[in-house]
Amino acid sequence: MHRFSSRTREDKLLWVLMVCVASLIKGAVGSEDLQLHKPPNIVILLADDLGIGDVGCYGNDTIRTPHIDRLASEGVRLTHHLAAAAMCTPSRAALLTARYPARYGLVADPILPVPVLIQITSPGGIPGDEVTIATALAAANYTTAIVGKWHLGMNCSLWGRGCLGPLRHGFHSFFGLPMSLFQEYADPYPFWTLPADTAVIQVSPWIQNHANSVLMRDGEVVEAPIKLEGFSQRLVAESRRFITEHANSERPFFLFHSFGHVHTPMFTAPHMAGRSKHGRYGDNVEEMDEGVGSLLDTLTQLGLENNTVVYFASDHGGHLEVTDDDGQRIGGHNGRFKGGKRQGGSEGGIRVPGIFRWSGHLPCGVTQHSPTSMMDVLPTLLSLAGLPPLHTLVPRASHKELDGTDISEILQGGAAESQEGRVFLHHCDSAIHAVRLVTGDHVYKMHLARPKWFPGSTQCGWGRGVICSCSGYGLVTDLSSRPELYDLNKDPYEDKQPISPESEEYKVVVKQMREYLEQWKARVKYPPSQLSTLANIIWRPWYQPVCHNC
Ligand SMILES: *[C@@H]1O[C@H](CO)[C@@H](O)[C@H](O)[C@H]1NC(C)=O
Ligand SMILES: *[C@@H]1O[C@H](CO)[C@@H](O)[C@H](O)[C@H]1NC(C)=O
């Protein structure tokens, strides 16, 4: 299944072996770092909307992602790595807090299903009492920075501009997008154009273009609207500067490089345009990969490979439905997994690439098949870095139950026994659409609901702005009275007939999952949605940050 372009499998193995031996030798030489007891630097590289099928080392043999592939060949590649949501805002919140975002209302409800923050002036975000990876690492004396996309809230009140922004969540500096890239940033719109989008409630494209297309440095707007061409390179240059500046400092650094790519709109620097075999989407993937390479090279040049943990992932699966005005597909590809973005219970929406590299410390060129979650990243990074657990580092968080667990044992190549009995809940907005249970040799997945797919496909139509729904009459198939059950170890792509509801296996497993759900619902009360509010939808100019020097 996992093919590698331009090299035979034997060549590939030899190559991995050479790289690994080299890094072990370097690791031994570099053990001075350890004697100083300085915890390792940490770099998170997060792509936006990138499908697991868009990456060379996950089986794509026509797209070129040599730098992500290199990261995998020098580290641990996870094949069963799961996002906690199939939309940006909730998935990113889960990554940073190690908790289901439904616990703090950062998911839509069925009454007004707006799946993400859609206005820079929206008052929602990660609540101030939640603790992020950055807050934890800042408490451990790291210098912390985010470069790129935030999309996790800025404002909470009129006098509290920026009070939910990255600087309030543990990041010492911020350069990038308070929101996200949106298709509208690329096109000129007259004020009265109606959104082309029918599936999601959306703001006026004019407002989108004029209000949300801002670039910030810390609390200040430094560019509006954003100049798209070369934007990826500008973000990468900023991160390179940060790494270089902090390479030899006493404190370790934490960099969260959150790519704008490969979300729409599809733009690239001139040297990347038309290079890929997959149109403008492919060009975007390859430009993002070039950015990964540039950041990895910086670490190598500064001799930081052996004291820097690097984690790469995508926030969720590719957007299957989206096309440009000419009907060309401009969304990602999720391999053989069914479904995509905004399908929280479908594998294609949440199965993402996930790679950890820490040369000389973690195994090299290794693949792990155990189910893991992006919510595991926070506890795992603390553990790898030899830091105290979150509740010790940040005592005010001691009542916050984490949904992620420390998977460093799995990364170290240990047995996956720690995952025995683990349950993953798969939310689509605030609803639970699927449940996954790890037990013995099985990874069971139970589907309770699923978006209505276009016949013969695993997507909800196609067109500009088209996306699935998590709720709504006629938009979702309710399976809860007779859930579909699969064993992903036997049927990874859910291609075969689901396990028969008449079988003993079905009865036992479904009963166990239903009991788990009942207990969960009794114990964990979800607060009201922060996204399903008029304040999220209506632009409120008095919250709009403006550029004073543009
Ligand atoms: C590789 O990715 C491109 C772009 O998403 C996609 O069109 C193509 O089908 C993928 N190829 C394979 C073998 O997965
Ligand atoms: C951070 O630095 C302070 C002061 O230098 C020190 O007391 C504290 O133990 C450090 N924290 C960690 C987790 O290393």
Side-chain angles (χ1 to χ4, degrees):
M1 184 187 102
H2 306 293
R3 282 161 295 172
F4 297 95
S5 51
S6 73
R7 285 201 194 101
T8 66
R9 187 171 283 270
E10 289 71 30
D11 284 352
K12 182 77 197 174
L13 282 174
L14 194 63
W15 168 249
V16 166
L17 202 68
M18 273 159 42
V19 169
C20 292
V21 169
S23 93
L24 275 178
I25 295 169
K26 270 191 290 174
V29 174
S31 60
E32 269 168 54
D33 299 331
L34 288 180
Q35 281 156 22
L36 298 172
H37 294 296
K38 182 174 145 181
N41 307 306
I42 293 173
V43 175
I44 293 183
L45 306 172
L46 188 67
D48 196 3
D49 286 16
L50 176 75
I52 192 168
D54 291 329
V55 184
C57 62
Y58 283 88
N60 197 313
D61 50 9
T62 47
I63 213 154
R64 279 167 303 191
T65 56
H67 304 292
I68 301 170
D69 301 352
R70 166 184 151 206
L71 193 68
S73 71
E74 296 171 358
V76 184
R77 184 177 67 101
L78 303 170
T79 62
H80 200 141
H81 196 48
L82 299 160
M87 286 301 287
C88 306
T89 298
S91 168
R92 286 156 186 269
L95 165 67
L96 290 185
T97 61
R99 283 155 55 78
Y100 290 115
R103 287 182 181 266
Y104 42 87
L106 212 51
V107 287
D109 69 28
I111 308 296
L112 195 61
V114 186
V116 294
L117 290 163
I118 56 174
Q119 298 276 6
I120 193 170
T121 64
S122 300
I126 300 180
D129 67 339
E130 292 292 328
V131 176
T132 69
I133 297 179
T135 308
L137 292 176
N141 299 329
Y142 277 65
T143 305
T144 59
I146 168 170
V147 174
K149 168 171 168 165
W150 172 244
H151 209 182
L152 291 168
M154 291 303 286
N155 303 302
C156 53
S157 71
L158 190 50
W159 307 118
R161 272 212 194 135
C163 56
L164 291 173
L167 300 185
R168 297 296 175 93
H169 276 298
F171 290 101
H172 298 132
S173 63
F174 169 44
F175 179 73
L177 298 156
M179 293 294 285
S180 170
L181 291 175
F182 290 116
Q183 179 60 40
E184 288 76 9
Y185 295 4
D187 304 320
Y189 280 99
F191 187 77
W192 294 111
T193 320
L194 281 173
D197 187 324
T198 46
V200 205
I201 300 168
Q202 228 201 20
V203 287
S204 143
W206 187 89
I207 292 180
Q208 192 75 284
N209 200 355
H210 286 78
N212 289 337
S213 178
V214 299
L215 178 67
M216 292 180 98
R217 182 174 292 283
D218 300 328
E220 298 296 320
V221 176
V222 293
E223 188 175 300
I226 295 170
K227 295 180 199 80
L228 293 178
E229 192 183 298
F231 184 60
S232 184
Q233 287 75 10
R234 281 199 284 157
L235 294 181
V236 169
E238 177 73 19
S239 282
R240 291 181 66 137
R241 205 157 34 241
F242 173 81
I243 295 172
T244 309
E245 223 165 79
H246 296 277
N248 298 313
S249 104
E250 238 169 71
R251 292 165 174 250
F253 64 78
F254 165 49
L255 169 67
F256 178 21
H257 186 93
S258 173
F259 287 93
H261 281 338
V262 291
H263 201 288
T264 56
M266 296 292 123
F267 62 87
T268 50
H271 74 282
M272 296 303 298
R275 273 189 30 158
S276 80
K277 294 192 177 121
H278 298 285
R280 289 191 295 140
Y281 179 78
D283 294 350
N284 261 247
V285 173
E286 296 191 2
E287 185 170 73
M288 185 270 300
D289 180 74
E290 183 196 59
V292 170
S294 172
L295 295 172
L296 295 181
D297 287 348
T298 308
L299 293 176
T300 308
Q301 285 153 13
L302 295 168
L304 297 176
E305 270 179 11
N306 291 297
N307 60 352
T308 305
V309 182
V310 181
Y311 166 70
F312 174 87
S314 173
D315 60 352
H316 50 70
H319 187 172
L320 300 181
E321 292 83 5
V322 67
T323 68
D324 62 14
D325 287 336
D326 308 327
Q328 187 190 10
R329 280 203 64 225
I330 48 172
H333 172 72
N334 303 317
R336 286 173 63 188
F337 298 111
K338 296 187 165 55
K341 182 174 180 179
R342 194 88 202 283
Q343 297 194 37
S346 299
E347 211 63 8
I350 50 178
R351 182 83 73 110
V352 291
I355 300 166
F356 279 87
R357 184 193 78 175
W358 186 12
S359 303
H361 301 265
L362 286 178
C364 173
V366 161
T367 298
Q368 281 290 1
H369 302 294
S370 299
T372 54
S373 166
M374 286 173 77
M375 293 187 292
D376 300 340
V377 171
L378 165 55
T380 303
L381 288 175
L382 296 185
S383 160
L384 287 176
L387 296 169
L390 182 67
H391 296 157
T392 313
L393 267 183
V394 189
R396 71 175 166 87
S398 54
H399 63 291
K400 303 268 182 205
E401 184 182 29
L402 298 192
D403 299 308
T405 65
D406 174 8
I407 56 161
S408 53
E409 236 175 71
I410 294 177
L411 299 179
Q412 299 284 5
E417 279 143 22
S418 54
Q419 300 297 89
E420 175 61 31
R422 186 168 183 191
V423 173
F424 299 78
L425 301 176
H426 302 301
H427 295 80
C428 199
D429 292 350
S430 60
I432 294 173
H433 274 196
V435 180
R436 180 178 324 237
L437 168 71
V438 185
T439 173
D441 291 337
H442 310 276
V443 179
Y444 289 112
K445 187 171 172 203
M446 170 174 85
H447 291 269
L448 298 162
R450 171 180 298 133
K452 277 247 161 75
W453 287 334
F454 200 80
S457 80
T458 66
Q459 64 189 72
C460 306
W462 55 84
R464 186 173 167 143
V466 173
I467 197 161
C468 291
S469 296
C470 295
S471 55
Y473 182 75
L475 300 174
V476 168
T477 308
D478 181 2
L479 303 164
S480 59
S481 59
R482 205 176 153 87
E484 273 178 22
L485 184 72
Y486 296 89
D487 181 349
L488 299 182
N489 278 356
K490 291 188 182 143
D491 184 11
Y493 306 110
E494 302 168 70
D495 287 332
K496 301 180 187 148
Q497 282 298 314
I499 297 171
S500 162
E502 316 311 328
S503 68
E504 199 50 32
E505 184 182 23
Y506 181 97
K507 285 175 194 156
V508 171
V509 173
V510 169
K511 180 161 175 281
Q512 190 182 344
M513 286 179 165
R514 283 201 196 274
E515 278 168 10
Y516 182 94
L517 269 182
E518 241 167 70
Q519 284 165 17
W520 174 266
K521 284 178 182 160
R523 192 169 64 80
V524 183
K525 294 290 173 214
Y526 294 168
S529 167
Q530 300 188 53
L531 301 175
S532 298
T533 63
L534 283 180
N536 183 22
I537 296 169
I538 296 165
W539 180 52
R540 300 187 301 169
W542 52 93
Y543 284 124
Q544 178 68 36
V546 291
C547 185
H548 297 293
N549 294 313
C550 300

